[in-house]
Every structure is written in C-alpha cells, then in structure tokens.
Amino acid sequence: MNREALAASIDHTVLGPETTRSDVTTVLDEAAEYGMNACIPPCYVAEASEYAPDVRLATVIGFPHGQHAPGAKECEAELAWEAGADELDIVINVGRLRAGDDEAVQAELEAVVATVPIPVKVIIETALLSEAEKHRACEAARDAGADMVKTSTGFADGGATVEDVELMSEYLPVKASGGVGSYEAALAMFDAGAERIGASSGVAIVDGYED
C-alpha cells in the first residue's frame, strides 16, 4: 500500500459531543490536504458537503448507543444522505443483540440499507460483546445487505483489536476504529484484514508512513 492508498483508506474523524463547526472544518481541511475521507456528526453534513465537495463524507446513525427507534434511524439515514453524506456508519442495538433478538437487529439494519443508495457500515461495538455475539452481529450485518462492519464507536471502553478485525473480516470488509492512533497501529489492522481505518489521528497515521 502506497501513501496515497493509505490516506484514501482513512476516515479522518471528529465525533465528540462537544464538536464545533470549526472542528469539522479543520478535519475537512486536513482530509482534503492528505487525500483522506472524513467522518463527522450528522448535524454538520450539509455544511461540510458544501465546504469540501471533493472529500468523501461519512456520518453516523443511531450514535453512539444504537438505541434509537428503528424509524428514527431510517429517517436519520435518509436526512444524512439528502444532506450530502456519501457513507453511513450505523450503530446496532447492542441490547437487543445481547438479548438474542437477532431478527429485530437484522430487520432494523435492512430497513436502513433499503432507505439509502449509499454504503452502510454497521458498528457492532466489539468491546461490549462476547465472541459469539460478535459473530451474530456480523451475520446480521451481512444478511441485512450492509457494505462493511466497524469495530467501535469510540465511546465504549476498548477499541479495535487485531483479533476482532480477523473475526469480522470473515463476514464483510472491516473498518477498524477506536484507539488506532499511529501508522504502526493502522498497519497492524490492515495486516489483520481491515480495509478502512477510522481515527481522529489520520494526519499522524499518514505522516508515519514509511516506504
């Protein structure tokens, strides 16, 4: 992977609850300069799409806990797409999954996938799941027609691990997110099978690239 391909594989991210428009602009400027994508809060998507039309924009749905009503997630997804989002990262309902209600989890994801004509990544929040639950979450995402699975929101204790990426890549392409703060950490995730990295440290990751 060359430097350009590395940058294109990074979703440079700002999603904290205190995120300002200025924070988003900084991330967009850095993404444009380095050739990265950007992952930003949904409230800023319309402005970001106008400000940086050449940056691939991802935003989040049902964030960060995934417990929105299914219809609210569908509406949020449609609004984000109409505002200019190129990709959506949706949080599964972890509580329903852990309770064994896999049909409801899959149905909710299917509805969102059907609502928008853009790629949907499913955040399964690996730090909260057992190994068996991780398999079931990935199965639900795959069977719902999602495009990728993503490890973490960054709001639970623990982030992406090599072991989780290896497990998840058995089902769908993986976005490794949470605690990936350096080129070396990103490389470990790519080696484990990740195809995308979500990180607030996108600049540091690309600057750490070595031929």
Side-chain angles (χ1 to χ4, degrees):
M1 180 184 295
N2 60 29
R3 189 178 188 275
E4 182 178 347
L6 170 66
S9 299
I10 296 171
D11 289 358
H12 192 35
T13 301
V14 59
L15 290 172
E18 74 283 6
T19 298
T20 66
R21 181 176 178 178
S22 177
D23 296 329
V24 171
T25 299
T26 297
V27 163
L28 293 170
D29 288 341
E30 292 170 343
E33 178 183 354
Y34 280 76
M36 299 182 289
N37 318 305
C39 187
I40 64 171
C43 63
Y44 296 114
V45 168
E47 296 159 274
S49 180
E50 183 176 350
Y51 178 80
D54 294 330
V55 173
R56 182 190 294 169
L57 283 179
T59 193
V60 288
I61 304 299
F63 197 83
H65 299 306
Q67 294 180 319
H68 298 51
K73 287 183 176 178
E74 292 174 51
C75 182
E76 193 175 9
E78 185 172 19
L79 289 172
W81 166 56
E82 290 175 347
D86 299 301
E87 297 180 349
L88 303 179
D89 294 14
I90 179 173
V91 188
I92 65 164
N93 190 315
V94 174
R96 288 201 182 277
L97 182 85
R98 296 193 67 179
D101 197 356
D102 296 17
E103 290 185 4
V105 172
Q106 182 179 326
E108 178 179 276
L109 297 175
E110 284 177 341
V112 171
V113 169
T115 295
V116 294
I118 55 177
V120 174
K121 312 185 202 84
V122 176
I123 308 172
I124 70 169
E125 201 68 286
T126 51
L128 302 180
L129 303 179
S130 68
E131 185 164 342
E133 289 165 344
K134 293 170 192 175
H135 281 288
R136 287 170 37 222
C138 290
E139 288 170 0
R142 178 198 61 199
D143 294 347
D147 297 273
M148 299 184 80
V149 280
K150 176 178 170 181
T151 55
S152 315
T153 62
F155 283 78
D157 291 336
T161 67
V162 165
E163 293 77 15
D164 285 340
V165 170
E166 289 174 343
L167 181 155
M168 295 164 67
S169 64
E170 297 175 15
Y171 296 91
L172 285 170
V174 177
K175 176 177 172 179
S177 182
V180 186
S182 67
Y183 171 69
E184 291 75 19
L187 186 61
M189 296 302 159
F190 287 127
D191 287 344
E195 296 188 14
R196 191 81 65 86
I197 300 293
S200 58
S201 304
V203 170
I205 292 171
V206 178
D207 280 345
Y209 173 79
E210 298 177 1
D211 290 324

